[in-house]
Amino acid sequence: MNYLKVILVLPNYYFYYFLNIFFQSYQQKNIALNSTSLFHALSTIILSFASINYNLNSFYIFVNSGGYLVFDFIYILKKNKFDILRIMYLYHHFVVFLYILLPQKQHYWKEVMFVAELSNIPNYLVYYSLKNDIKLGIKQSNTTYILLKLQLLVYFILRIFFLGYYGLKEIYNDKVTYIKIHIYLVSILYLFGVIWFITMLKQNI
């Protein structure tokens, strides 16, 4: 493990820590956390796009996402509520952090990060809309209905199809000769994604 790279994410951990505090100054805690996650998703999309298309150093993606993953990991631990969903999040953050530590030139993690965070955008918008419906005393607004359908479609195209494609490229990657333990660990997240997609599909039928 490159311990210097791990240390370099610490300033960005504090960035997300204080960003979340800023959002909490005018939003409820759970909505503020959603806003923090949305900011991370948007910034990762921009950085990844620039890295893929304009050769921006992928280290910026690592520092940004690494800081966020550490922030959210610690945030969950502080909550001290370890249901299945939170345990899955902790696993997700841990293995993704290990994954983006891998040499980018030998792997596809900047493409994976771009697709994954792009697919997350509808999730955050759905959350905002659901909370707004509760605030207004509405069971489900037209906005929420449309966003739920969009969430399902985007998740299927990006998470199931494109991430599946890059997952296979990683598993059969002939650029590396070492044991791909990091890849196998992160591949389990794809199964989590399939389960989540099936859950969303049932809710939308």
Side-chain angles (χ1 to χ4, degrees), residues 176-205:
V176 298
T177 56
Y178 49 80
I179 298 174
K180 302 173 185 176
I181 183 65
H182 299 72
I183 304 303
Y184 299 139
L185 289 173
V186 82
S187 294
I188 295 174
L189 299 179
Y190 184 77
L191 298 178
F192 291 171
V194 172
I195 293 170
W196 176 237
F197 174 74
I198 294 172
T199 301
M200 288 193 295
L201 188 61
K202 288 181 179 178
Q203 291 174 347
N204 279 271
I205 293 176

mmCIF file of all heavy atoms in Angstrom, residues 176-205:
data_model
loop_
_atom_site.group_PDB
_atom_site.id
_atom_site.type_symbol
_atom_site.label_atom_id
_atom_site.label_comp_id
_atom_site.label_asym_id
_atom_site.label_seq_id
_atom_site.Cartn_x
_atom_site.Cartn_y
_atom_site.Cartn_z
ATOM 1 N N VAL A 176 -1.753 -6.809 -15.698
ATOM 2 C CA VAL A 176 -1.203 -7.082 -14.364
ATOM 3 C C VAL A 176 -0.906 -8.563 -14.217
ATOM 4 O O VAL A 176 -1.575 -9.413 -14.813
ATOM 5 C CB VAL A 176 -2.167 -6.615 -13.262
ATOM 6 C CG1 VAL A 176 -2.379 -5.109 -13.327
ATOM 7 C CG2 VAL A 176 -3.507 -7.327 -13.360
ATOM 8 N N THR A 177 0.104 -8.859 -13.408
ATOM 9 C CA THR A 177 0.492 -10.252 -13.180
ATOM 10 C C THR A 177 0.279 -10.679 -11.736
ATOM 11 O O THR A 177 0.351 -11.862 -11.431
ATOM 12 C CB THR A 177 1.973 -10.456 -13.542
ATOM 13 O OG1 THR A 177 2.779 -9.528 -12.800
ATOM 14 C CG2 THR A 177 2.199 -10.224 -15.030
ATOM 15 N N TYR A 178 0.009 -9.689 -10.843
ATOM 16 C CA TYR A 178 -0.190 -10.036 -9.437
ATOM 17 C C TYR A 178 -1.613 -10.553 -9.203
ATOM 18 O O TYR A 178 -2.497 -10.407 -10.058
ATOM 19 C CB TYR A 178 0.093 -8.834 -8.535
ATOM 20 C CG TYR A 178 -0.591 -7.552 -8.957
ATOM 21 C CD1 TYR A 178 -1.937 -7.299 -8.660
ATOM 22 C CD2 TYR A 178 0.114 -6.569 -9.654
ATOM 23 C CE1 TYR A 178 -2.544 -6.139 -9.040
ATOM 24 C CE2 TYR A 178 -0.499 -5.386 -10.038
ATOM 25 C CZ TYR A 178 -1.819 -5.178 -9.727
ATOM 26 O OH TYR A 178 -2.434 -4.011 -10.110
ATOM 27 N N ILE A 179 -1.815 -11.158 -8.050
ATOM 28 C CA ILE A 179 -3.141 -11.670 -7.692
ATOM 29 C C ILE A 179 -4.097 -10.482 -7.537
ATOM 30 O O ILE A 179 -3.805 -9.527 -6.819
ATOM 31 C CB ILE A 179 -3.088 -12.475 -6.379
ATOM 32 C CG1 ILE A 179 -2.168 -13.687 -6.555
ATOM 33 C CG2 ILE A 179 -4.494 -12.936 -5.979
ATOM 34 C CD1 ILE A 179 -1.943 -14.468 -5.275
ATOM 35 N N LYS A 180 -5.231 -10.559 -8.206
ATOM 36 C CA LYS A 180 -6.152 -9.414 -8.275
ATOM 37 C C LYS A 180 -7.129 -9.390 -7.100
ATOM 38 O O LYS A 180 -8.346 -9.292 -7.269
ATOM 39 C CB LYS A 180 -6.925 -9.457 -9.591
ATOM 40 C CG LYS A 180 -6.021 -9.447 -10.823
ATOM 41 C CD LYS A 180 -6.831 -9.665 -12.099
ATOM 42 C CE LYS A 180 -5.938 -9.777 -13.313
ATOM 43 N NZ LYS A 180 -6.685 -10.082 -14.548
ATOM 44 N N ILE A 181 -6.591 -9.470 -5.885
ATOM 45 C CA ILE A 181 -7.446 -9.520 -4.701
ATOM 46 C C ILE A 181 -8.313 -8.267 -4.587
ATOM 47 O O ILE A 181 -9.488 -8.342 -4.227
ATOM 48 C CB ILE A 181 -6.598 -9.725 -3.417
ATOM 49 C CG1 ILE A 181 -7.489 -9.856 -2.194
ATOM 50 C CG2 ILE A 181 -5.569 -8.605 -3.255
ATOM 51 C CD1 ILE A 181 -8.368 -11.071 -2.191
ATOM 52 N N HIS A 182 -7.745 -7.090 -4.921
ATOM 53 C CA HIS A 182 -8.516 -5.844 -4.851
ATOM 54 C C HIS A 182 -9.700 -5.879 -5.825
ATOM 55 O O HIS A 182 -10.787 -5.395 -5.503
ATOM 56 C CB HIS A 182 -7.635 -4.640 -5.193
ATOM 57 C CG HIS A 182 -6.474 -4.433 -4.277
ATOM 58 N ND1 HIS A 182 -5.368 -5.246 -4.279
ATOM 59 C CD2 HIS A 182 -6.253 -3.501 -3.315
ATOM 60 C CE1 HIS A 182 -4.512 -4.821 -3.376
ATOM 61 N NE2 HIS A 182 -5.016 -3.757 -2.780
ATOM 62 N N ILE A 183 -9.451 -6.468 -6.993
ATOM 63 C CA ILE A 183 -10.493 -6.542 -8.015
ATOM 64 C C ILE A 183 -11.604 -7.485 -7.569
ATOM 65 O O ILE A 183 -12.798 -7.182 -7.734
ATOM 66 C CB ILE A 183 -9.916 -7.012 -9.366
ATOM 67 C CG1 ILE A 183 -8.761 -6.099 -9.799
ATOM 68 C CG2 ILE A 183 -11.002 -7.045 -10.432
ATOM 69 C CD1 ILE A 183 -9.114 -4.641 -9.910
ATOM 70 N N TYR A 184 -11.238 -8.612 -7.003
ATOM 71 C CA TYR A 184 -12.235 -9.570 -6.545
ATOM 72 C C TYR A 184 -13.073 -8.977 -5.411
ATOM 73 O O TYR A 184 -14.289 -9.189 -5.353
ATOM 74 C CB TYR A 184 -11.561 -10.865 -6.086
ATOM 75 C CG TYR A 184 -10.781 -11.567 -7.187
ATOM 76 C CD1 TYR A 184 -9.547 -12.139 -6.949
ATOM 77 C CD2 TYR A 184 -11.283 -11.626 -8.489
ATOM 78 C CE1 TYR A 184 -8.829 -12.776 -7.966
ATOM 79 C CE2 TYR A 184 -10.580 -12.237 -9.511
ATOM 80 C CZ TYR A 184 -9.360 -12.808 -9.244
ATOM 81 O OH TYR A 184 -8.664 -13.417 -10.249
ATOM 82 N N LEU A 185 -12.419 -8.217 -4.528
ATOM 83 C CA LEU A 185 -13.143 -7.594 -3.419
ATOM 84 C C LEU A 185 -14.140 -6.557 -3.915
ATOM 85 O O LEU A 185 -15.277 -6.500 -3.453
ATOM 86 C CB LEU A 185 -12.156 -6.933 -2.445
ATOM 87 C CG LEU A 185 -11.312 -7.873 -1.592
ATOM 88 C CD1 LEU A 185 -10.260 -7.084 -0.808
ATOM 89 C CD2 LEU A 185 -12.182 -8.679 -0.630
ATOM 90 N N VAL A 186 -13.700 -5.736 -4.878
ATOM 91 C CA VAL A 186 -14.586 -4.685 -5.384
ATOM 92 C C VAL A 186 -15.664 -5.269 -6.296
ATOM 93 O O VAL A 186 -16.744 -4.677 -6.454
ATOM 94 C CB VAL A 186 -13.767 -3.590 -6.099
ATOM 95 C CG1 VAL A 186 -13.431 -3.961 -7.530
ATOM 96 C CG2 VAL A 186 -14.481 -2.240 -6.053
ATOM 97 N N SER A 187 -15.398 -6.433 -6.893
ATOM 98 C CA SER A 187 -16.392 -7.064 -7.769
ATOM 99 C C SER A 187 -17.649 -7.465 -7.009
ATOM 100 O O SER A 187 -18.744 -7.530 -7.589
ATOM 101 C CB SER A 187 -15.792 -8.299 -8.449
ATOM 102 O OG SER A 187 -14.756 -7.927 -9.329
ATOM 103 N N ILE A 188 -17.497 -7.721 -5.714
ATOM 104 C CA ILE A 188 -18.658 -8.076 -4.886
ATOM 105 C C ILE A 188 -19.678 -6.931 -4.881
ATOM 106 O O ILE A 188 -20.888 -7.157 -4.761
ATOM 107 C CB ILE A 188 -18.208 -8.429 -3.455
ATOM 108 C CG1 ILE A 188 -17.341 -9.700 -3.492
ATOM 109 C CG2 ILE A 188 -19.399 -8.639 -2.523
ATOM 110 C CD1 ILE A 188 -16.717 -10.065 -2.177
ATOM 111 N N LEU A 189 -19.183 -5.707 -5.046
ATOM 112 C CA LEU A 189 -20.083 -4.550 -5.082
ATOM 113 C C LEU A 189 -21.041 -4.620 -6.258
ATOM 114 O O LEU A 189 -22.152 -4.091 -6.190
ATOM 115 C CB LEU A 189 -19.275 -3.246 -5.155
ATOM 116 C CG LEU A 189 -18.337 -2.952 -3.981
ATOM 117 C CD1 LEU A 189 -17.599 -1.644 -4.212
ATOM 118 C CD2 LEU A 189 -19.116 -2.911 -2.674
ATOM 119 N N TYR A 190 -20.616 -5.272 -7.321
ATOM 120 C CA TYR A 190 -21.506 -5.426 -8.480
ATOM 121 C C TYR A 190 -22.724 -6.274 -8.100
ATOM 122 O O TYR A 190 -23.850 -5.975 -8.520
ATOM 123 C CB TYR A 190 -20.759 -6.076 -9.648
ATOM 124 C CG TYR A 190 -21.590 -6.179 -10.907
ATOM 125 C CD1 TYR A 190 -21.792 -5.057 -11.712
ATOM 126 C CD2 TYR A 190 -22.183 -7.379 -11.284
ATOM 127 C CE1 TYR A 190 -22.559 -5.135 -12.869
ATOM 128 C CE2 TYR A 190 -22.953 -7.461 -12.435
ATOM 129 C CZ TYR A 190 -23.142 -6.346 -13.225
ATOM 130 O OH TYR A 190 -23.910 -6.423 -14.358
ATOM 131 N N LEU A 191 -22.501 -7.292 -7.296
ATOM 132 C CA LEU A 191 -23.614 -8.126 -6.819
ATOM 133 C C LEU A 191 -24.554 -7.303 -5.944
ATOM 134 O O LEU A 191 -25.779 -7.441 -6.033
ATOM 135 C CB LEU A 191 -23.076 -9.326 -6.041
ATOM 136 C CG LEU A 191 -22.197 -10.303 -6.828
ATOM 137 C CD1 LEU A 191 -21.690 -11.423 -5.919
ATOM 138 C CD2 LEU A 191 -22.964 -10.885 -8.009
ATOM 139 N N PHE A 192 -23.966 -6.438 -5.099
ATOM 140 C CA PHE A 192 -24.793 -5.533 -4.299
ATOM 141 C C PHE A 192 -25.667 -4.678 -5.219
ATOM 142 O O PHE A 192 -26.853 -4.452 -4.946
ATOM 143 C CB PHE A 192 -23.924 -4.604 -3.445
ATOM 144 C CG PHE A 192 -23.172 -5.274 -2.329
ATOM 145 C CD1 PHE A 192 -22.209 -4.584 -1.605
ATOM 146 C CD2 PHE A 192 -23.422 -6.603 -1.990
ATOM 147 C CE1 PHE A 192 -21.513 -5.189 -0.575
ATOM 148 C CE2 PHE A 192 -22.726 -7.226 -0.964
ATOM 149 C CZ PHE A 192 -21.774 -6.508 -0.260
ATOM 150 N N GLY A 193 -25.057 -4.202 -6.315
ATOM 151 C CA GLY A 193 -25.773 -3.354 -7.262
ATOM 152 C C GLY A 193 -26.919 -4.076 -7.948
ATOM 153 O O GLY A 193 -27.990 -3.503 -8.144
ATOM 154 N N VAL A 194 -26.707 -5.339 -8.288
ATOM 155 C CA VAL A 194 -27.769 -6.138 -8.914
ATOM 156 C C VAL A 194 -28.926 -6.325 -7.945
ATOM 157 O O VAL A 194 -30.104 -6.202 -8.324
ATOM 158 C CB VAL A 194 -27.214 -7.505 -9.374
ATOM 159 C CG1 VAL A 194 -28.350 -8.413 -9.835
ATOM 160 C CG2 VAL A 194 -26.192 -7.325 -10.501
ATOM 161 N N ILE A 195 -28.596 -6.601 -6.690
ATOM 162 C CA ILE A 195 -29.633 -6.781 -5.664
ATOM 163 C C ILE A 195 -30.431 -5.487 -5.494
ATOM 164 O O ILE A 195 -31.666 -5.505 -5.405
ATOM 165 C CB ILE A 195 -29.003 -7.205 -4.318
ATOM 166 C CG1 ILE A 195 -28.401 -8.616 -4.448
ATOM 167 C CG2 ILE A 195 -30.042 -7.178 -3.192
ATOM 168 C CD1 ILE A 195 -27.559 -9.028 -3.265
ATOM 169 N N TRP A 196 -29.723 -4.358 -5.468
ATOM 170 C CA TRP A 196 -30.390 -3.061 -5.315
ATOM 171 C C TRP A 196 -31.267 -2.753 -6.522
ATOM 172 O O TRP A 196 -32.372 -2.216 -6.381
ATOM 173 C CB TRP A 196 -29.350 -1.972 -5.106
ATOM 174 C CG TRP A 196 -29.900 -0.582 -5.020
ATOM 175 C CD1 TRP A 196 -29.580 0.485 -5.794
ATOM 176 C CD2 TRP A 196 -30.890 -0.093 -4.092
ATOM 177 N NE1 TRP A 196 -30.296 1.605 -5.432
ATOM 178 C CE2 TRP A 196 -31.104 1.277 -4.388
ATOM 179 C CE3 TRP A 196 -31.603 -0.667 -3.049
ATOM 180 C CZ2 TRP A 196 -32.001 2.064 -3.685
ATOM 181 C CZ3 TRP A 196 -32.517 0.119 -2.353
ATOM 182 C CH2 TRP A 196 -32.704 1.464 -2.670
ATOM 183 N N PHE A 197 -30.799 -3.112 -7.710
ATOM 184 C CA PHE A 197 -31.592 -2.888 -8.917
ATOM 185 C C PHE A 197 -32.873 -3.708 -8.881
ATOM 186 O O PHE A 197 -33.952 -3.195 -9.230
ATOM 187 C CB PHE A 197 -30.781 -3.247 -10.165
ATOM 188 C CG PHE A 197 -31.572 -3.177 -11.437
ATOM 189 C CD1 PHE A 197 -31.916 -1.958 -11.990
ATOM 190 C CD2 PHE A 197 -32.013 -4.341 -12.079
ATOM 191 C CE1 PHE A 197 -32.675 -1.863 -13.146
ATOM 192 C CE2 PHE A 197 -32.771 -4.263 -13.238
ATOM 193 C CZ PHE A 197 -33.110 -3.034 -13.785
ATOM 194 N N ILE A 198 -32.790 -4.953 -8.483
ATOM 195 C CA ILE A 198 -33.968 -5.807 -8.371
ATOM 196 C C ILE A 198 -34.967 -5.231 -7.371
ATOM 197 O O ILE A 198 -36.191 -5.221 -7.606
ATOM 198 C CB ILE A 198 -33.576 -7.249 -7.973
ATOM 199 C CG1 ILE A 198 -32.766 -7.896 -9.113
ATOM 200 C CG2 ILE A 198 -34.817 -8.089 -7.660
ATOM 201 C CD1 ILE A 198 -32.165 -9.225 -8.751
ATOM 202 N N THR A 199 -34.439 -4.694 -6.266
ATOM 203 C CA THR A 199 -35.302 -4.063 -5.255
ATOM 204 C C THR A 199 -36.022 -2.866 -5.846
ATOM 205 O O THR A 199 -37.239 -2.698 -5.653
ATOM 206 C CB THR A 199 -34.447 -3.615 -4.037
ATOM 207 O OG1 THR A 199 -33.786 -4.751 -3.482
ATOM 208 C CG2 THR A 199 -35.334 -2.973 -2.976
ATOM 209 N N MET A 200 -35.278 -2.002 -6.559
ATOM 210 C CA MET A 200 -35.902 -0.830 -7.192
ATOM 211 C C MET A 200 -36.919 -1.256 -8.249
ATOM 212 O O MET A 200 -37.982 -0.642 -8.382
ATOM 213 C CB MET A 200 -34.828 0.047 -7.841
ATOM 214 C CG MET A 200 -33.967 0.801 -6.871
ATOM 215 S SD MET A 200 -32.989 2.102 -7.706
ATOM 216 C CE MET A 200 -31.929 1.101 -8.757
ATOM 217 N N LEU A 201 -36.615 -2.311 -8.995
ATOM 218 C CA LEU A 201 -37.507 -2.786 -10.038
ATOM 219 C C LEU A 201 -38.848 -3.240 -9.438
ATOM 220 O O LEU A 201 -39.920 -2.908 -9.951
ATOM 221 C CB LEU A 201 -36.855 -3.931 -10.790
ATOM 222 C CG LEU A 201 -37.580 -4.443 -12.061
ATOM 223 C CD1 LEU A 201 -37.694 -3.339 -13.084
ATOM 224 C CD2 LEU A 201 -36.835 -5.653 -12.640
ATOM 225 N N LYS A 202 -38.779 -3.960 -8.340
ATOM 226 C CA LYS A 202 -39.995 -4.433 -7.653
ATOM 227 C C LYS A 202 -40.830 -3.255 -7.155
ATOM 228 O O LYS A 202 -42.057 -3.280 -7.199
ATOM 229 C CB LYS A 202 -39.624 -5.356 -6.500
ATOM 230 C CG LYS A 202 -39.100 -6.718 -6.936
ATOM 231 C CD LYS A 202 -38.778 -7.584 -5.720
ATOM 232 C CE LYS A 202 -38.272 -8.970 -6.154
ATOM 233 N NZ LYS A 202 -37.918 -9.799 -4.972
ATOM 234 N N GLN A 203 -40.135 -2.212 -6.673
ATOM 235 C CA GLN A 203 -40.839 -1.039 -6.133
ATOM 236 C C GLN A 203 -41.516 -0.218 -7.235
ATOM 237 O O GLN A 203 -42.471 0.509 -6.991
ATOM 238 C CB GLN A 203 -39.866 -0.162 -5.364
ATOM 239 C CG GLN A 203 -39.368 -0.783 -4.082
ATOM 240 C CD GLN A 203 -38.280 0.057 -3.395
ATOM 241 O OE1 GLN A 203 -37.726 0.985 -3.986
ATOM 242 N NE2 GLN A 203 -37.976 -0.279 -2.167
ATOM 243 N N ASN A 204 -41.003 -0.354 -8.481
ATOM 244 C CA ASN A 204 -41.534 0.435 -9.585
ATOM 245 C C ASN A 204 -42.546 -0.324 -10.426
ATOM 246 O O ASN A 204 -43.079 0.218 -11.394
ATOM 247 C CB ASN A 204 -40.385 0.922 -10.468
ATOM 248 C CG ASN A 204 -39.707 2.150 -9.908
ATOM 249 O OD1 ASN A 204 -40.108 3.266 -10.195
ATOM 250 N ND2 ASN A 204 -38.700 1.950 -9.073
ATOM 251 N N ILE A 205 -42.766 -1.593 -10.127
ATOM 252 C CA ILE A 205 -43.733 -2.394 -10.891
ATOM 253 C C ILE A 205 -45.152 -2.155 -10.339
ATOM 254 O O ILE A 205 -45.349 -2.187 -9.142
ATOM 255 C CB ILE A 205 -43.399 -3.894 -10.822
ATOM 256 C CG1 ILE A 205 -42.077 -4.144 -11.568
ATOM 257 C CG2 ILE A 205 -44.510 -4.745 -11.433
ATOM 258 C CD1 ILE A 205 -41.601 -5.568 -11.492
#
